[in-house]
């Protein structure tokens, strides 16, 4: 089973990758795909590689159904389709294989007409009834497919599987048919005609689809244009009504509510959707009392605040209260309301007062509107001559409030299509409140989608509006014809049958060729073998020569070639002055990590071309590997090298454009001189490398010459840092964790362990922490190293837990890690990923980590403690921690340093320190573990003082995770036996 699992996984992936795009081939009114090559993939996989791979079909079909369910938004019992369809697809593939093996035999070269016809016109169509016959009724019963289209979708499903099998049969055999010698000879004659036929069918179908799209778009433009004209005409009628009422109020104003009713009655009939037509006269503050007594029957003029609350209007110089309004029954609440008091309408009214033209307001919620639709208010200032002079005085304001949904609905009732979605937008409106009418999300940029649509922008009464029209699904269904579906299906049928014809023709041709080849096989084989061997030998020699001397990426000489040329240049010529320039690109790894290695490779190619520009003809440029280049060139004076170095550094200033990325990088250059810095290329290259690292330490983007002061320690430190960085970034397998058990010496029970990192250096062998932790802290690698240790310890602890062993693990934490803002979320992610039980992860800190007592530092401790982490203070007594800090920080356990344990028993001072530590920890509720316990005397002395938790060689040395597990199990078994 394990050997077949990769093949099952490949089958599932290929099935899903082919099946998911096929879902998009469905042509309305169908919901199922008229071509489903994944069915052919499943059949041929089981036929070629065995029926035992059927779980791959089940998994692949399940993935396709997950995508299909997400697209159609299934819910409830419809999720049973995730089981029904994959089971039906698997059963169909197994049945196809069984029938093929029984009726025509397998393996079969399919080179005779009766075998091909029986397979393609009988077996495949018959077995493809299985999936459609099971899946379509089940999906209809679950509500995924409409019951009205049951027959069509069943027919379409069967066609999709049948065409998929007919098309994939010759293609799969051409690629993977066995024996390969048989099918390889037929593959070209099968593949290219099939591909050409498929491309022709796709192109013709695309042309038909394009024509259909143009026809639908043209019809939509006509229908949408009618709606646009009707709506604009309706809005113009609204303006006409306002202008007519303005003229009446100017020259023959209404003197009573009944006269206003007569004036507005005809307009209310002609303007459906109008909430009200009102008249608001200008009332000065001096006239307010008389107006309230005579007109409002003693009621006060009302004002509305920004929240929509109505109250008596405060004193103002003038008012525009609503005196007449129709229809009165549904607008009685607006009588006496000062329209200038509304903050959202006052600006609109003032614009009309200034311009004398009708002005429309932004979208508002009407006071009189009981529903949720939006409305707008249209205002028209009314001026009349004051006397015989031509001076005009403001008499009042005519207002019209109308509901936009009703306006649109009334427009769509007369002579236009109703199945086009209409959206009216106020382009000047405030964000989130600019939609006047239409679906809730119609104002968003993506509302049109891929449907036919129309966008019209126009000005109405001083504001900029936009009309957005989109075809609905019902509209599109009513316009689409069957031409596209029939063309697609006929094209698929022709392609599938053409594949069968190709199988017959190529099989016959192959048989004829086989008879001819049989007579000349020995001579042809001999000649072919000889020619193949000669060609392979020549090609191998040329390839070996090229690879031996050149870098495959940049075509520059490689390290071996450069060393050969350098030795030749230095041999027997110690009087000649030569310089070796070692170039290393700064932060090149960032490019690889962020943009990928292909982009990094193209950057290296571009840099290699640039480096050749300033070099003299006798210079030797080579790529050593990665982002390192080396140059060997003769020189007369050091000033020449300085000038060349400046040119090389300047080459890196302009950006290198790779796949639309402008990449800028710098370079660090180290220089070693022949003969004073070395007598051979290897020594010079090593010294130039050291000088290059000195350039990096000097801030990068500079040049440094090798000097004897660049001693071995610096070289070792730089090399070790580089190796550690590469180990962390490229080969974490060099790192491993050892664990030292922590025992309760009184009971002999293992109570925990401490994780200790080791580095299996490729050259130095196994290195202890003291050999590289300090280097990691100085270089900043301690953060990445600490993250690795935390992740590895949690993973191995989870493995122990899965095996039934619950064992706390202590992990050392650097103070640098505590300063990182991502520490808490990183630890939280590890605890959740590996399901670590609270209290099973202990973080060990040195006393230096407690020196920082700011609020943020304490917050990190508290956050980690809330995640379930415990804290231990390592090497207690050797640092500068105080009791106040121990009290403030959530320390759970103190670890007595081995320096105080090693002298026990016999050292009074050390014994006093241990006793004081135990007493203090007991009073503060902390545990204590003694480190470095190596002898029985030390164990007994600590037990006598009350310290039972111990760690050291007396009990066990650090060991790998598997060995620790066995150690704890043996210890537990021995205790149970005792």
């Amino acid at each position: 089973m394990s050997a077949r699992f990769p093949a099952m996984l490949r089958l599932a992936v290929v099935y899903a990758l082919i099946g998911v795009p096929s879902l998009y081939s469905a042509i309305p009114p169908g919901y199922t795909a008229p071509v489903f090559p994944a069915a052919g993939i499943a059949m041929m996989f089981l036929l070629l590689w065995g029926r035992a791979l059927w779980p791959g079909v089940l998994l692949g079909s399940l993935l396709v159904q997950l995508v299909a369910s997400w697209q159609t938004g299934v819910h409830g019992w419809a999720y049973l389709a995730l089981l029904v369809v994959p089971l039906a697809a698997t059963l169909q593939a197994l049945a196809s294989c069984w029938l093929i093996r029984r009726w025509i035999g397998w393996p079969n070269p399919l080179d005779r007409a009766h075998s091909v016809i029986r397979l393609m016109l009988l077996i495949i169509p018959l077995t493809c009834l299985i999936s459609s016959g099971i899946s379509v009724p089940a999906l209809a019963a679950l509500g995924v497919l409409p019951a009205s289209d049951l027959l069509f979708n069943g027919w379409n499903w069967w066609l999709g599987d049948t065409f998929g099998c007919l098309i994939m049969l010759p293609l799969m055999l051409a690629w993977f048919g066995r024996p390969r010698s048989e099918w390889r000879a037929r593959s070209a004659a099968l593949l290219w005609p099939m591909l050409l036929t498929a491309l022709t069918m796709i192109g013709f179908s695309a042309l038909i689809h394009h024509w259909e799209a143009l026809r639908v778009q043209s019809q939509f433009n006509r229908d949408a244009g009618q709606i646009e004209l009707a709506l604009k005409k309706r809005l113009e009628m609204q303006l006409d009504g306002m202008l007519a009422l303005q003229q009446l109020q100017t020259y023959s104003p209404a003197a009573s509510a009944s006269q206003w009713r007569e004036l507005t009655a005809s307009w209310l009939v002609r303007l459906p959707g109008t909430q009200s037509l009102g008249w608001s006269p200008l009332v000065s503050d001096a006239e307010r009392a008389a107006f309230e007594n005579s007109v409002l029957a003693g009621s006060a003029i009302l004002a509305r605040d920004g929240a929509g609350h109505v109250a008596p209007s405060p004193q103002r110089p003038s008012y525009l209260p609503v005196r007449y309004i129709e229809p009165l029954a549904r607008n009685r609440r607006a009588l006496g309301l000062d329209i200038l008091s509304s903050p959202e309408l006052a600006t609109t009214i003032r614009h009309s007062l200034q311009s004398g033209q009708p002005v429309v307001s932004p979208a508002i919620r009407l006071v009189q509107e009981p529903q949720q639709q939006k409305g707008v208010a249209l205002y028209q200032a009314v001026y009349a001559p004051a006397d015989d002079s031509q001076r005009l005085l403001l008499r009042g304001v005519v207002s019209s409030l109308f509901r936009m949904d009703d306006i649109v609905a009334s427009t769509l009732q007369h002579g236009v299509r109703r199945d086009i979605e209409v959206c009216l937008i106020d382009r000047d409106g405030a964000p989130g409140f600019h939609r006047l009418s239409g679906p809730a999300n119609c104002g968003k940029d993506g509302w049109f989608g891929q449907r036919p649509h129309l966008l019209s922008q126009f000005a109405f009464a001083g504001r900029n509006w936009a009309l957005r029209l989109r075809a609905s699904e019902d509209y599109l269904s009513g316009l689409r014809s069957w031409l596209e579906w029939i063309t697609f299906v006929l094209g698929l049928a022709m392609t599938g049958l053409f594949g069968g014809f190709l199988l017959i023709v190529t099989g016959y041709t192959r048989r004829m060729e086989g008879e001819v080849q049989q007579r000349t096989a020995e001579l042809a084989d001999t000649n072919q073998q000889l020619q193949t061997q000669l060609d392979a030998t020549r090609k191998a020699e040329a390839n070996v020569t090229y690879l031996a001397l050149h870098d495959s990426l940049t075509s520059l000489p490689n390290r071996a070639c450069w060393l050969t040329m350098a030795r030749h240049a230095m041999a027997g010529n110690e009087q000649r002055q030569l310089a070796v320039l070692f170039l290393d690109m700064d932060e090149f790894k960032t490019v690889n990590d962020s943009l990928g290695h292909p982009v990094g490779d193209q950057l290296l190619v571009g840099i290699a071309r640039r480096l050749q520009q300033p070099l003299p003809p006798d210079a030797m440029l080579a790529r050593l590997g990665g982002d390192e280049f080396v140059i060997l060139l003769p020189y007369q004076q050091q000033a020449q090298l300085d000038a060349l170095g400046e040119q090389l550094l300047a080459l890196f200033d302009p950006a290198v454009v790779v796949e639309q990325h402008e990449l800028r990088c710098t370079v660090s250059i180290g220089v070693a001189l022949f003969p004073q810095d070395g007598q051979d290329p290897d020594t010079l290259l090593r010294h130039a490398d050291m000088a290059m690292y000195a350039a990096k330490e000097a801030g990068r983007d500079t040049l440094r010459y090798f000097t004897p002061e660049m001693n071995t320690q610096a070289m070792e430190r730089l090399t070790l840092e580089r190796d550690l960085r590469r180990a962390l970034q490229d080969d974490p397998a060099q790192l491993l964790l050892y664990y030292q058990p922590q025992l309760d010496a009184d009971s002999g029970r293992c109570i925990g362990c401490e994780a200790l990192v080791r580095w299996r250096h490729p050259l130095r062998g196994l290195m202890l922490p003291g050999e590289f932790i300090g280097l990691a802290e100085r270089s900043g690698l301690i953060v990445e190293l600490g993250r690795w240790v935390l992740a590895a310890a949690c993973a191995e602890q989870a493995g122990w837990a899965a095996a039934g062993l619950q064992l706390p693990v202590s992990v050392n934490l650097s103070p640098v890690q505590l300063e990182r803002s991502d520490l808490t979320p990183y630890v939280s992610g590890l605890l959740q990923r590996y399901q670590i039980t609270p209290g099973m992860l202990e973080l060990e800190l040195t006393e230096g980590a407690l020196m920082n007592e700011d609020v943020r530092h304490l917050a990190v401790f508290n956050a980690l403690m809330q995640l379930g982490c415990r804290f231990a203070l390592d090497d207690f007594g050797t640092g500068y921690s105080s009791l106040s800090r121990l009290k403030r920080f959530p320390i759970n356990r103190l670890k007595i340093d081995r320096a105080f344990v090693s002298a026990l028993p016999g050292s009074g001072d050390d014994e006093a320190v241990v006793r004081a530590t135990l007493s203090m920890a007991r009073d503060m509720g902390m545990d204590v573990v003694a480190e470095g316990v190596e002898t029985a005397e030390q164990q007994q002395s600590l037990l006598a003082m009350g310290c039972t938790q111990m760690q050291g060689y007396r009990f066990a040395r650090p060991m790998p995770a598997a060995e620790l597990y066995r150690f704890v199990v043996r210890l537990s078994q021995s205790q149970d036996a005792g």
Side-chain angles (χ1 to χ4, degrees):
M1 179 65 181
S2 59
R4 292 194 298 265
F5 181 74
M8 294 178 187
L9 191 60
R10 284 194 295 270
L11 171 56
V13 171
V14 173
Y15 190 104
L17 291 178
I18 298 297
V20 170
S22 302
L23 299 175
Y24 297 93
S25 65
I27 302 174
Y31 293 87
T32 54
V35 57
F36 195 68
I41 294 285
M43 179 186 73
M44 294 307 298
F45 250 87
L46 301 189
L47 194 62
L48 292 173
W49 290 287
R51 287 171 290 182
L53 300 181
W54 66 266
V57 181
L58 186 69
L59 178 58
S61 181
L62 180 61
L63 295 175
V64 174
Q65 288 308 307
L66 284 172
V67 176
S69 299
W70 171 73
Q71 289 178 342
T72 55
V74 301
H75 58 277
W77 289 101
Y79 280 107
L80 290 177
L82 298 178
L83 299 177
V84 175
V85 177
L87 289 174
T90 306
L91 180 62
Q92 175 176 290
L94 289 171
S96 300
C97 294
W98 182 80
L99 279 180
I100 291 173
R101 293 179 184 276
R102 183 175 179 85
W103 285 4
I104 67 172
W106 195 262
N108 190 314
L110 294 180
D111 56 355
R112 300 187 181 276
H114 65 86
S115 298
V116 175
I117 293 174
R118 188 182 303 174
L119 172 62
M120 303 191 76
L121 297 184
L122 180 60
I123 296 177
I124 289 178
L126 182 62
T127 55
C128 286
L129 290 171
I130 296 176
S131 181
S132 60
I134 296 175
S135 301
V136 173
L139 293 178
L142 294 172
V144 178
L145 298 180
S148 58
D149 292 336
L150 181 64
L151 182 61
F152 176 81
N153 281 293
W155 164 259
N156 216 30
W157 193 299
W158 174 77
L159 282 180
D161 285 358
T162 301
F163 290 151
C165 292
L166 293 178
I167 293 173
M168 293 309 300
L169 172 67
L171 295 178
M172 291 284 288
L173 290 174
W175 272 314
F176 306 110
R178 290 175 292 182
R180 288 305 301 148
S181 58
E182 171 72 22
W183 289 101
R184 189 180 296 111
R186 301 167 63 181
S187 61
L190 284 171
L191 286 176
W192 294 111
M194 282 290 292
L195 291 176
L196 182 61
T197 303
L199 290 175
T200 302
M201 185 271 293
I202 292 172
F204 187 66
S205 298
L207 183 62
I208 295 296
H209 178 77
H210 178 67
W211 288 344
E212 281 292 294
L214 289 179
R215 181 182 65 83
V216 172
Q217 182 66 52
S218 177
Q219 181 63 44
F220 174 79
N221 290 340
R222 289 193 295 270
D223 295 336
Q226 293 178 357
I227 294 177
E228 178 188 6
L229 292 176
L231 185 59
K232 289 182 178 179
K233 182 177 179 181
R234 174 64 181 81
L235 293 174
E236 289 175 359
M237 290 175 60
Q238 203 77 26
L239 291 177
D240 292 343
M242 294 298 292
L243 293 175
L245 291 176
Q246 177 207 26
Q247 293 298 316
L248 290 172
Q249 288 299 97
T250 301
Y251 299 105
S252 181
S256 64
S258 59
Q259 290 183 4
W260 181 254
R261 186 180 308 111
E262 293 175 0
L263 292 176
T264 58
S266 60
W267 286 106
L268 289 173
V269 174
R270 294 173 60 189
L271 302 175
T274 301
Q275 171 69 25
S276 66
L277 292 173
W279 164 247
S280 300
L282 178 66
V283 177
S284 66
D285 188 56
E287 300 169 337
R288 173 175 177 172
F291 181 84
E292 291 175 342
N293 292 327
S294 61
V295 176
L296 301 180
S299 299
I301 295 177
L302 303 177
R304 183 171 62 182
D305 57 17
H309 301 130
V310 176
S313 173
Q315 186 174 6
R316 299 170 55 185
S318 60
Y319 313 88
L320 286 173
V322 176
R323 182 172 183 180
Y324 305 136
I325 189 166
E326 289 296 331
L328 182 60
R330 64 174 181 234
N331 295 287
R332 190 176 300 277
R333 294 170 54 194
L335 286 175
L337 178 65
D338 182 10
I339 59 177
L340 276 176
S341 65
S342 174
E344 54 188 356
L345 300 179
T347 302
T348 303
I349 297 171
R350 293 190 181 95
H351 287 170
S352 179
L353 296 179
Q354 294 172 1
S355 64
Q357 300 296 323
V359 179
V360 70
S361 72
I364 58 173
R365 276 280 292 116
L366 303 178
V367 176
Q368 308 93 321
E369 175 58 55
Q371 302 176 0
Q372 295 299 319
Q373 64 171 306
K374 297 177 182 177
V376 295
L378 188 62
Y379 295 102
Q380 171 65 61
V382 177
Y383 289 89
D387 46 30
D388 293 339
S389 65
Q390 296 301 315
R391 188 168 61 91
L392 297 177
L393 292 179
L394 177 65
R395 176 170 290 177
V397 173
V398 176
S399 61
S400 174
L401 278 70
F402 46 95
R403 301 178 296 277
M404 295 311 303
D405 285 348
D406 291 347
I407 294 291
V408 173
S410 65
T411 303
L412 297 180
Q413 291 178 356
H414 305 289
V416 296
R417 296 288 295 257
R418 300 186 185 182
D419 48 6
I420 293 178
E421 299 179 5
V422 180
C423 179
L424 192 59
I425 302 297
D426 183 359
R427 294 167 54 206
D428 297 333
F433 207 69
H434 60 291
R435 179 180 61 86
L436 300 175
S437 178
N441 62 341
C442 69
K444 297 182 178 179
D445 293 339
W447 182 67
F448 287 143
Q450 301 298 323
R451 302 186 194 177
H453 59 271
L454 176 67
L455 174 63
S456 175
Q457 299 179 357
F458 60 95
F460 174 69
R463 294 188 72 84
N464 294 309
W465 284 8
L467 178 63
R468 315 182 86 196
L469 302 172
R470 184 181 75 170
S472 65
E473 290 293 344
D474 292 339
Y475 182 90
L476 295 177
S477 299
L479 287 183
R480 284 200 174 98
S481 68
W482 286 80
L483 176 63
E484 185 177 355
W485 185 88
I486 294 173
T487 303
F488 192 58
V489 170
L490 289 178
L492 290 173
M494 293 176 60
T495 303
L497 295 177
F498 183 63
F501 172 76
L502 290 177
L503 283 173
I504 297 173
V505 172
T506 57
Y508 176 80
T509 304
R510 179 58 182 165
R511 286 204 317 274
M512 296 299 100
E513 291 176 353
E515 294 177 1
V516 175
Q517 291 173 357
Q518 185 176 0
R519 295 180 177 88
T520 58
E522 294 182 1
L523 180 60
D525 288 344
T526 302
N527 291 336
Q528 183 65 32
Q529 291 175 6
L530 180 59
Q531 187 63 42
T532 301
Q533 291 177 358
L534 290 175
D535 292 343
T537 301
R538 292 170 183 167
K539 185 176 181 180
E541 290 176 352
N543 191 40
V544 169
T545 302
Y546 180 83
L547 292 177
L549 299 176
H550 293 84
D551 171 48
S552 60
L553 179 63
T554 62
S555 299
L556 292 175
N558 59 13
R559 183 188 188 97
C561 180
W562 183 87
L563 288 173
T564 300
M565 293 188 296
R567 291 190 185 98
H568 185 269
M570 299 175 189
N573 194 2
E574 296 183 357
Q575 301 302 320
R576 188 182 187 189
Q577 296 189 101
L578 299 173
V580 175
L581 282 71
F582 194 109
L583 291 76
D584 186 275
M585 296 170 60
D586 301 324
E587 302 297 341
F588 175 73
K589 187 178 183 303
T590 304
V591 177
N592 278 342
D593 291 343
S594 59
L595 301 178
H597 288 275
V599 174
D601 290 345
Q602 295 184 51
L603 175 61
L604 288 173
V605 172
I607 292 300
R609 292 173 182 169
R610 287 189 182 182
L611 290 176
Q612 301 176 51
Q613 297 174 5
L615 298 180
D618 51 355
M620 303 177 190
L621 171 65
R623 181 188 177 209
L624 298 182
D627 57 346
E628 298 175 345
F629 298 87
V630 64
I631 302 171
L632 176 68
L633 76 161
Y635 73 98
Q636 298 296 328
Q637 297 178 348
Q638 185 171 329
Q640 296 176 250
L641 300 178
D642 294 338
L644 178 60
E646 292 180 0
Q647 292 178 348
L648 292 175
L649 293 173
L651 285 176
F652 287 80
D653 291 338
V656 178
V657 179
V658 178
E659 296 182 1
Q660 300 179 350
H661 300 289
E662 292 189 1
L663 305 178
R664 288 182 169 82
C665 57
T666 58
V667 66
S668 298
I669 305 175
V671 183
L673 305 178
F674 172 84
Q676 55 265 44
D677 292 336
Q679 301 294 320
D680 59 89
D682 292 319
T683 303
L684 288 169
L685 196 61
R686 186 171 66 254
H687 289 169
D689 191 12
M690 295 177 63
M692 181 273 294
Y693 274 99
K696 285 189 177 291
E697 285 189 337
R700 299 176 178 170
D701 193 21
T702 186
L703 179 146
R704 287 292 183 270
Y705 288 89
F706 172 78
T707 62
E709 287 75 17
M710 298 175 183
N711 51 37
T712 304
Q713 290 184 353
M715 180 61 184
E716 286 187 358
R717 183 175 64 81
L718 291 174
T719 303
L720 196 61
E721 178 184 340
R722 181 185 59 191
D723 292 345
L724 181 57
R725 188 182 305 276
R726 288 178 177 173
L728 286 169
Q729 297 175 352
D730 303 328
D731 189 13
Q734 294 183 19
L735 301 172
L736 66 159
L737 287 183
Y738 274 45
Y739 298 88
Q740 186 171 29
Q742 297 171 343
L743 277 71
D744 186 334
D746 197 9
S747 63
R749 182 172 56 89
C750 183
I751 60 173
C753 61
E754 179 180 1
L756 302 170
V757 67
R758 300 288 190 268
W759 181 13
R760 189 182 291 111
H761 193 278
L763 301 178
R764 299 170 182 258
L766 191 65
M767 299 178 64
L768 299 178
E771 300 178 68
F772 60 90
I773 292 297
L775 172 68
E777 290 179 339
R778 290 192 300 272
S779 62
L781 295 175
I782 191 65
V783 175
E784 190 171 354
L785 179 60
R787 289 167 68 95
W788 181 90
V789 172
L790 276 170
C794 289
E796 291 179 340
Q797 188 186 52
W800 297 335
L805 175 62
Q806 292 289 343
L807 188 65
V809 176
S810 298
V811 179
N812 289 283
L813 201 65
S814 168
V816 179
Q817 291 176 264
L818 285 173
E819 300 296 331
R820 297 285 296 234
S821 60
D822 59 349
L823 175 62
T824 301
Y826 181 73
V827 173
S828 175
L830 290 176
L831 297 178
Q832 293 179 4
R833 184 191 314 166
Y834 296 109
Q835 298 296 307
I836 304 300
T837 305
M840 300 302 288
L841 177 62
E842 183 177 72
L843 304 177
E844 289 194 14
L845 306 161
T846 60
E847 292 183 277
L850 305 186
M851 299 301 291
N852 189 349
E853 295 188 78
D854 62 19
V855 176
R856 187 180 62 83
H857 205 65
L858 288 171
V860 173
F861 274 86
N862 292 327
L864 291 172
M865 183 181 65
Q866 291 177 0
L867 291 175
C869 297
R870 291 170 54 85
F871 291 95
L873 191 59
D874 198 10
D875 301 336
F876 181 73
T878 63
Y880 303 96
S881 61
S882 64
L883 294 179
S884 63
R885 292 195 180 95
L886 288 178
K887 182 179 178 181
R888 293 191 64 190
F889 288 89
I891 303 300
N892 304 101
R893 187 161 63 161
L894 301 179
K895 300 190 73 175
I896 300 176
D897 187 72
R898 64 181 65 249
F900 301 110
V901 176
S902 60
L904 297 178
S907 173
D909 293 340
D910 291 339
E911 183 175 339
V913 171
V914 172
R915 289 184 182 276
T917 301
L918 291 170
S919 176
M920 178 191 67
R922 207 164 27 244
D923 294 340
M924 298 183 71
M926 300 179 185
D927 295 332
V928 178
V929 60
E931 295 182 299
V933 180
E934 299 182 356
T935 66
E937 290 78 8
Q938 293 171 350
Q939 176 183 351
Q940 293 301 323
S941 177
L942 289 168
L943 284 173
M945 288 185 282
C947 179
T948 60
Q949 297 183 14
M950 303 181 192
Q951 172 182 346
Y953 290 174
R954 164 66 177 163
F955 310 102
R957 292 177 176 271
M959 61 191 73
E963 188 176 338
L964 176 69
Y965 176 79
R966 292 192 293 271
F967 173 83
V968 176
V969 171
R970 287 197 304 269
L971 195 63
S972 176
Q973 290 173 349
S974 64
Q975 290 177 347
D976 294 340

